[in-house]
């Protein structure tokens, strides 16, 4: 589906344009005016963060709480305040702004099932509870870098995606894994917006899926995963821009061809398949050299190659830049 823009006369631009595109457009305009070093405007002012944080009500504890993986006990930065990260979310199914946490509570996660199909020994459907009994849960403190140039550190609870791949028993012809979010425009009003191609999908190679960093998240901050974070189960790929970390997954397909993802379909030039974090390769409309620390009062820090996880993942891409060029970083 083509990317359509709503006529600008109907609403102010900030309301008519997905928020990150709005901010990015501002950055573009600032840059066009010739101001050196223009960056995206602070996406969520410190005072608004504080107000949202104090209104936040945390959910049920994750019991029993899985052990912390010592390899990921410290992300090298302070953990983002739970009230801040839980009230500042990208979940376009509910709206194209960040304050969706109340709206997301309408998502009914009871009886959640995940369908596994494609190039596997035998396609099947598995209930969320059943899946929980078949995987090894652990806690990890992990960095997250959004393509919009903000970042956070969250203590996730979850399991390695490779546990799920093992359950799926893919055939040797399976080269990629495709993920799909639920589709229910009755509870998710964003899915009524015609300028996106719903449901949200994402994809990765089978080698990336086998990497120890590829994590299926079912909890955060010692609690059952809040709906705004993508309950009951979402992916987290910390070395890639955040849009790859698809939420509220209902289907996982093992496929032969590289799948086209939600954002790639909307804006292929800007949001690609690989989307590995690289401070040296700018987004077409803004720099990726630094990032704003969520809850940090506007503080910016340098962005790291692969978001600081090069040791675990750089080998996956050796020699690839010559083949795909800058697409590796977008
Ligand atoms: N998954 C779905 N289904 N819908 C979305 O809009 N947004 C992505 C990603 N996964 C998104 C999604 C983007 S752009 C980011 S940065 C992260 O989720 C944000 O995750 P968070 O809200 O937990 O911080």
């Amino acid at each position: 589906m083509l990317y359509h823009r709503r006529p600008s006369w109907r609403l102010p631009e900030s309301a008519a344009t997905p928020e990150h595109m709005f901010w990015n457009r501002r950055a573009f305009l600032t840059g066009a005016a010739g101001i050196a070093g223009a960056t995206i405007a602070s996406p969520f002012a410190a005072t608004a963060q504080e107000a949202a944080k104090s209104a936040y009500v945390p959910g049920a504890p994750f019991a029993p709480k899985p052990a912390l993986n010592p390899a990921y006990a410290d992300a090298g930065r302070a953990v983002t305040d739970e009230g801040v990260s839980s009230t500042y979310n990208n979940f376009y199914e509910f709206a194209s702004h960040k304050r969706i946490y109340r709206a997301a509570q309408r998502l009914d996660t009871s009886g959640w099932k995940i369908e596994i199909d494609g190039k596997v020994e035998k396609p099947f459907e598995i209930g969320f509870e059943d899946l929980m009994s078949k995987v090894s849960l652990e806690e990890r403190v992990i960095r997250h870098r959004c393509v919009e140039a903000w970042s956070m550190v969250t203590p996730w609870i979850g399991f390695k995606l490779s546990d799920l791949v093992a359950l799926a028993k893919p055939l040797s012809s399976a080269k990629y894994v495709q993920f799909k979010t639920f589709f229910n425009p009755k509870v998710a009003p964003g899915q009524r917006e015609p300028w996106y191609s719903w449901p949200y999908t994402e994809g990765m190679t089978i080698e990336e899926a086998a990497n120890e960093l590829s994590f299926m998240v079912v909890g955060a901050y010692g609690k059952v995963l809040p709906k705004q974070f993508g309950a009951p189960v979402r992916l987290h790929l910390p070395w890639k821009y955040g849009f790859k970390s698809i939420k509220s997954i209902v289907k996982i397909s093992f496929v032969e061809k590289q799948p086209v993802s939600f954002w790639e379909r909307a804006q292929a030039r800007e949001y690609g398949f690989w989307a590995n974090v690289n401070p040296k390769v700018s987004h077409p409309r803004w720099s990726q050299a630094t990032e704003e620390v969520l809850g940090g009062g506007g503080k910016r820090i340098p962005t790291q190659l692969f978001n600081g996880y090069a040791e675990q993942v750089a080998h996956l891409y050796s020699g690839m830049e010559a083949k795909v060029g800058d697409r590796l970083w977008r």
Side-chain angles (χ1 to χ4, degrees):
M1 194 176 114
L2 290 172
Y3 177 73
H4 299 294
R5 288 257 323 248
R6 196 190 331 209
S8 57
W9 46 263
R10 278 180 55 193
L11 282 171
E13 191 188 16
S14 58
T17 309
E19 183 165 305
H20 76 271
M21 291 181 188
F22 169 67
W23 290 116
N24 299 343
R25 191 170 132 73
R26 283 196 45 175
F28 170 72
L29 292 174
T30 319
I35 299 170
T39 53
I40 304 174
S42 179
F44 188 8
T47 44
Q49 285 184 19
E50 286 305 312
K53 176 179 136 182
S54 57
Y56 181 63
V57 185
F62 201 103
K65 191 171 165 244
L68 179 63
N69 179 339
Y72 301 103
D74 180 2
R77 294 177 205 159
V79 168
T80 306
D81 185 286
E82 180 182 351
V84 172
S85 59
S86 308
T87 53
Y88 183 85
N89 302 96
N90 273 334
F91 207 165
Y92 277 70
E93 283 79 350
F94 293 97
S96 58
H97 57 72
K98 306 287 194 261
R99 267 74 87 200
I100 55 80
Y101 71 99
R102 282 187 221 283
Q105 305 316 312
R106 294 185 58 202
L107 179 64
D108 181 6
T109 55
S110 58
W112 197 270
K113 291 189 178 70
I114 301 174
E115 196 184 334
I116 313 278
D117 74 358
K119 304 282 171 195
V120 290
E121 272 182 22
K122 197 169 174 232
F124 62 95
E125 197 174 68
I126 187 163
F128 177 72
E129 299 304 330
D130 194 11
L131 177 63
M132 289 301 89
S133 69
K134 293 186 161 74
V135 294
S136 298
L137 292 170
E138 60 177 66
E139 187 178 45
R140 297 180 172 192
V141 182
I142 290 284
R143 296 183 290 276
H144 175 92
R145 170 61 158 80
C146 179
V147 72
E148 296 162 340
W150 56 266
S151 66
M152 63 178 181
V153 172
T154 38
W156 293 133
I157 291 168
F159 57 94
K160 290 196 209 87
L161 174 58
S162 59
D163 283 6
L164 202 149
V165 173
L167 285 176
K169 302 199 179 89
L171 304 176
S172 58
S173 54
K175 305 288 183 229
Y176 298 89
V177 191
Q178 185 181 36
F179 301 82
K180 232 176 234 180
T181 296
F182 71 90
F183 182 68
N184 186 352
K186 282 198 189 126
V187 299
Q191 293 182 328
R192 289 181 222 143
E193 308 293 12
W195 48 86
Y196 294 116
S197 182
W198 304 104
Y200 198 103
T201 56
E202 256 311 333
M204 62 198 305
T205 65
I206 198 108
E207 291 80 17
E208 289 175 324
N211 189 272
E212 65 167 90
L213 277 185
S214 299
F215 203 53
M216 296 290 277
V217 178
V218 295
Y221 296 92
K223 319 217 169 53
V224 171
L225 193 67
K227 294 180 180 178
Q228 63 272 26
F229 274 132
V233 56
R234 60 93 61 87
L235 183 64
H236 194 245
L237 306 174
W239 73 99
K240 291 181 179 279
Y241 291 117
F243 65 88
K244 299 292 295 180
S245 294
I246 182 171
K247 298 178 170 186
S248 304
I249 296 164
V250 293
K251 189 168 178 179
I252 302 176
S253 306
F254 290 79
V255 296
E256 274 174 290
K257 289 205 183 115
Q258 187 173 304
V260 178
S261 308
F262 179 83
W263 283 110
E264 192 178 2
R265 208 174 284 284
Q267 294 273 44
R269 212 173 72 80
E270 305 191 351
Y271 312 102
F273 174 79
W274 299 102
N276 295 309
V277 176
N278 186 343
K280 293 203 174 125
V281 179
S282 297
H283 180 277
R285 288 180 285 130
W286 65 90
S287 164
Q288 293 291 24
T290 62
E291 60 205 51
E292 181 172 336
V293 178
L294 199 58
K299 182 181 165 200
R300 295 194 80 85
I301 55 170
T303 287
Q304 295 172 275
L305 183 65
F306 292 114
N307 197 21
Y309 295 104
E311 194 186 319
Q312 290 89 341
V313 296
H315 67 275
L316 292 169
Y317 310 102
S318 62
M320 262 192 67
E321 205 168 1
K323 283 189 218 143
V324 297
D326 277 0
R327 301 302 300 163
L328 199 54
W329 315 108
R330 276 186 201 148

